[in-house]
Amino acid sequence: MTDMTTTPEGGGEPHTSTRKAVRRGGGDPSTRGRTTIADGVVEKIAGLAARDVIGVHAMGGGFARTLGAVRDRVPGGSKSVTRGVKAEVGEVQTALDLEIVVDYGVSIGDVAGAVRENVVAAVERMTGLEVVEVNIAVSDVKLPDEEEDEPEPRIQ
């Protein structure tokens, strides 16, 4: 805050003096209070980050994908970005389990490594949590001539 006053000599020249703002409470305002992040938030971030990796065909095991396909076709339903993702969130750390389906012909090791990198980067950047582990289970390989798990709706 700036205070405009005249000099004591009566010269009429204004000078400025700076007063410090009084801080109430203690310390930095950003450290007052607590932030909690739900497991579902971390699961959504991880699910989206995993799907961005080339070679990941789908998330979740066969039954989860089939059930999800039915749920997705229900009016008002939406695709579950958390399918195939499980997170355990603590106060400063999180651990993730992912179940993926890879495309035929890709290196599973390379895809798993890329998924880990992408998931860790996204979760740590967005949440500030330390990702201690990302466990990946490859439950299936999508062959080029296989039909999709989500069949087209029939016209009646």
Side-chain angles (χ1 to χ4, degrees):
M1 185 184 301
T2 303
D3 180 29
M4 297 293 283
T5 60
T6 56
T7 57
E9 295 85 27
E13 289 293 317
H15 77 279
T16 59
S17 66
T18 305
R19 280 190 258 160
K20 288 199 172 208
V22 178
R23 242 187 214 182
R24 310 237 186 263
D28 183 16
S30 67
T31 62
R32 298 180 198 173
R34 190 175 139 176
T35 303
T36 57
I37 300 170
D39 292 2
V41 172
V42 174
E43 289 169 354
K44 281 185 180 183
I45 294 167
L48 290 170
R51 283 175 176 78
D52 282 345
V53 175
I54 294 172
V56 174
H57 177 75
M59 300 288 295
F63 181 71
R65 288 195 330 268
T66 302
L67 187 61
V70 171
R71 197 177 324 126
D72 293 345
R73 291 190 356 226
V74 172
S78 61
K79 283 200 172 213
S80 175
V81 295
T82 61
R83 186 183 313 146
V85 183
K86 178 69 180 131
E88 292 179 25
V89 179
E91 291 199 19
V92 295
Q93 295 179 325
T94 186
L96 294 149
D97 294 322
L98 281 73
E99 189 173 0
I100 65 173
V101 176
V102 297
D103 292 320
Y104 176 79
V106 300
S107 165
I108 292 173
D110 290 348
V111 170
V115 167
R116 273 191 191 89
E117 286 180 25
N118 215 30
V119 167
V120 168
V123 170
E124 287 185 347
R125 178 179 50 82
M126 292 183 69
T127 66
L129 295 168
E130 176 191 4
V131 179
V132 293
E133 67 181 4
V134 178
N135 298 312
I136 298 173
V138 179
S139 62
D140 202 358
V141 174
K142 168 66 171 86
L143 300 174
D145 58 347
E146 279 183 332
E147 287 186 27
E148 290 293 320
D149 292 336
E150 302 174 18
E152 294 295 316
R154 289 189 232 163
I155 299 174
Q156 294 185 1

